[in-house]
Amino acid sequence: MPMQPWFSEAKLGIFVHYGIYAVDGVPESWSFYTGQVPHDRYMKQLDGFTASDYDPRAWAGLFARAGAKYAVLTARHHDGVALWDTDQGDLSVVRQTPAGRDLLAGYAEALREQGLKVGLYYSHSDWNHPDYASAVHPDPPNEEVRANRYASAAPGQEDPEAWARFLAYRNAQVGELVTRFRPDLLWFDGEWERSEEQWEMRELSELILAGNPDTVLNARMLSYGNYSTPEQGVPLLPPEGPWELCLTVNDSWGFQPQDHHHKSVRQLVRYFAETIGMGGNLLLDVGPREDGTIPAEQAARLEGLGTWIAKHSEAVYGTVAGLPAGHHYGPSTLSADRRTLYLMCFDTPRETVSLRGLRTPVTRVRVVGTGTELGHRVIGGLGDVPGVLWIDAPEAADADELATVLAVELGGELDVYRGTGRD
């Protein structure tokens, strides 16, 4: 299925890990899977999940101010607790928590009011479902998958009928998400615990696309996904095709009150610029408290990133990946018509900014956000090997505190030299 153009044009999405794990502030699902928290204590969090201050319109407004064009909410994590009133059993915040209501409908409506695309996260695996640990991966990726009682059947205890029931349950839940909330994007997870054939990925893909043929699917649909999802570190080489970097604001996906290790706005601007400079999107994660409020430290960082993006929007939206490494000391983006190159300067430029290997003549250089024009000249060059473009550093008043962006306007489409120089 061809990729929907809105995705690569979005640049920024917000990931939201929201669930009962916020009650005690423990790692989502993994805390009982690994034995960090006893299973009964983990599930006891159902009693404390209120969503009492959940305001999806406030979320959507914050996400829009951050500059995001889509968001992805954990409709159901590996713990099996659904945030909507599923017809597939009673394990939902609607039926088993004080929240007592569907949390997805308002979310989808609020995002659409802001013009944002609606994404829903859904885990293939369900460590609470009685039929889940009834199969074994034919080639387990690690010992934990093979041996964990929540993930796999014990040797000789496989139950194909139970596994078929589980797939029917999963298909029914995904069908509910597609028909009730019409997500633009489905973000799957948990795929490593079974093979593509065991998951029946082809059939699942057909089910989703029959409901909405424009649904974007991530690579955790394996052969049936549209884009890659590296986590927590900007890749040194961009993945093939569309991709998205999944990054937490602090060190945790969900709300963990002891985790104050928040990345600064400056660091987030760097992550964002480096990601879009390689043609990817940033999916920036926040973890709301159990009452539905996003911690102030995280909200402030989204606001700060959004302020920088708004000032430099021409270098963000409507652009593609910029120069390969080595031409400029920092990331860059390129306008869709390939006639304006945007250079990101993380440190305050001093004296000059250099650009190497540029063959296309430059007509003007200006500071994005202020419009101030900068002097520039080419020095050197021999035959086919272009000289270095030296751009005068902007005055302090024109430099941005977080990252200064220079627009290099070209006399034609970008053409760069990639050779080894004259012998």
Side-chain angles (χ1 to χ4, degrees):
M1 185 189 83
M3 185 53 151
Q4 298 302 310
W6 71 259
F7 180 83
S8 293
E9 294 166 1
K11 307 304 180 185
L12 180 66
I14 305 299
F15 213 173
V16 186
H17 276 68
Y18 185 41
I20 66 168
Y21 37 84
V23 174
D24 292 343
V26 297
E28 57 293 332
S29 307
W30 290 97
S31 49
F32 77 79
Y33 178 91
T34 61
Q36 175 184 340
V37 174
H39 181 264
D40 59 349
R41 187 191 307 167
Y42 183 93
M43 299 308 294
K44 183 72 175 168
Q45 293 177 104
L46 288 164
D47 298 338
F49 186 80
T50 67
S52 56
D53 289 316
Y54 174 57
D55 182 354
R57 281 192 171 87
W59 283 13
L62 172 62
F63 301 163
R65 292 193 300 277
K69 301 301 182 183
Y70 65 108
V72 178
L73 172 62
T74 48
R76 201 216 73 195
H77 208 267
H78 314 311
D79 61 12
V81 181
L83 297 191
W84 77 101
D85 191 14
T86 178
D87 294 332
Q88 307 304 309
D90 293 330
L91 189 53
S92 71
V93 300
V94 182
R95 303 189 190 189
Q96 294 204 20
T97 76
R101 66 190 189 282
D102 173 281
L103 301 182
L104 297 189
Y107 158 83
E109 181 181 356
L111 289 187
R112 291 190 169 111
E113 286 175 356
Q114 290 285 350
L116 305 185
K117 298 292 186 180
V118 175
L120 294 174
Y121 166 113
Y122 184 88
S123 172
H124 292 294
S125 57
D126 183 338
W127 296 331
N128 262 314
H129 196 284
D131 291 324
Y132 181 67
S134 59
V136 178
H137 194 302
D139 184 21
N142 54 56
E143 177 64 16
E144 189 172 52
V145 167
R146 189 195 65 77
N148 192 292
R149 66 187 179 93
Y150 294 111
S152 301
Q157 300 297 309
E158 295 89 343
D159 184 344
E161 291 183 0
W163 181 245
R165 288 196 301 269
F166 176 79
L167 290 178
Y169 148 83
R170 179 211 59 188
N171 289 349
Q173 281 203 326
V174 172
E176 289 174 355
L177 295 179
V178 171
T179 57
R180 295 186 197 178
F181 311 111
R182 300 175 294 109
D184 302 286
L185 181 153
L186 279 170
W187 207 105
F188 286 94
D189 200 5
E191 81 296 341
W192 64 88
E193 293 194 330
R194 300 288 187 270
S195 69
E196 183 168 304
E197 293 73 23
Q198 287 174 313
W199 286 127
E200 297 185 359
M201 288 297 195
R202 179 178 62 81
E203 292 85 350
L204 180 60
S205 171
E206 290 171 351
L207 180 155
I208 295 165
L209 299 180
N212 177 13
D214 294 333
T215 309
V216 174
L217 305 173
N218 71 335
R220 301 178 194 197
M221 281 289 291
L222 302 175
S223 298
Y224 299 91
N226 300 116
Y227 71 97
S228 302
T229 53
E231 293 184 20
Q232 296 289 51
V234 179
L236 294 178
L237 294 174
E240 298 257 339
W243 62 282
E244 160 193 86
L245 172 65
C246 311
L247 183 76
T248 51
V249 170
N250 54 5
D251 290 335
S252 309
W253 296 103
F255 175 69
Q256 295 191 37
Q258 80 288 352
D259 184 358
H260 299 291
H261 195 213
H262 294 89
K263 299 168 183 68
S264 67
V265 175
R266 178 175 282 104
Q267 287 172 323
L268 293 175
V269 166
R270 287 198 177 211
Y271 275 108
F272 179 66
E274 289 167 352
T275 300
I276 66 172
M278 291 196 293
N281 289 355
L282 178 63
L283 185 64
L284 186 60
D285 177 78
V286 295
R289 299 180 184 86
E290 66 81 16
D291 66 2
T293 57
I294 294 172
E297 303 95 326
Q298 298 191 358
R301 282 155 176 80
L302 297 192
E303 299 271 13
L305 176 60
T307 297
W308 184 88
I309 291 174
K311 179 180 176 182
H312 302 96
S313 60
E314 69 167 279
V316 174
Y317 307 115
T319 66
V320 296
L323 296 165
H327 291 274
H328 161 64
Y329 293 103
S332 60
T333 58
L334 181 64
S335 61
D337 65 5
R338 302 183 61 81
R339 297 175 70 98
T340 305
L341 190 61
Y342 297 99
L343 308 181
M344 318 283 186
C345 303
F346 294 138
D347 299 315
T348 301
R350 299 177 187 276
E351 186 183 346
T352 52
V353 173
S354 65
L355 178 57
R356 300 188 294 170
L358 182 63
R359 283 191 173 126
T360 319
V362 173
T363 59
R364 184 167 70 134
V365 179
R366 56 186 168 79
V367 181
V368 176
T370 69
T372 300
E373 293 194 27
L374 302 175
H376 56 91
R377 69 207 61 83
V378 175
I379 299 178
L382 180 62
D384 189 46
V385 183
V388 176
L389 175 71
W390 295 95
I391 303 167
D392 293 341
E395 299 291 334
D398 284 305
D400 188 90
E401 179 187 5
L402 301 176
T404 302
V405 182
L406 308 182
V408 180
E409 299 180 5
L410 307 174
E413 290 192 13
L414 176 70
D415 182 20
V416 294
Y417 174 77
R418 298 289 291 162
T420 58
R422 188 178 185 279
D423 292 336

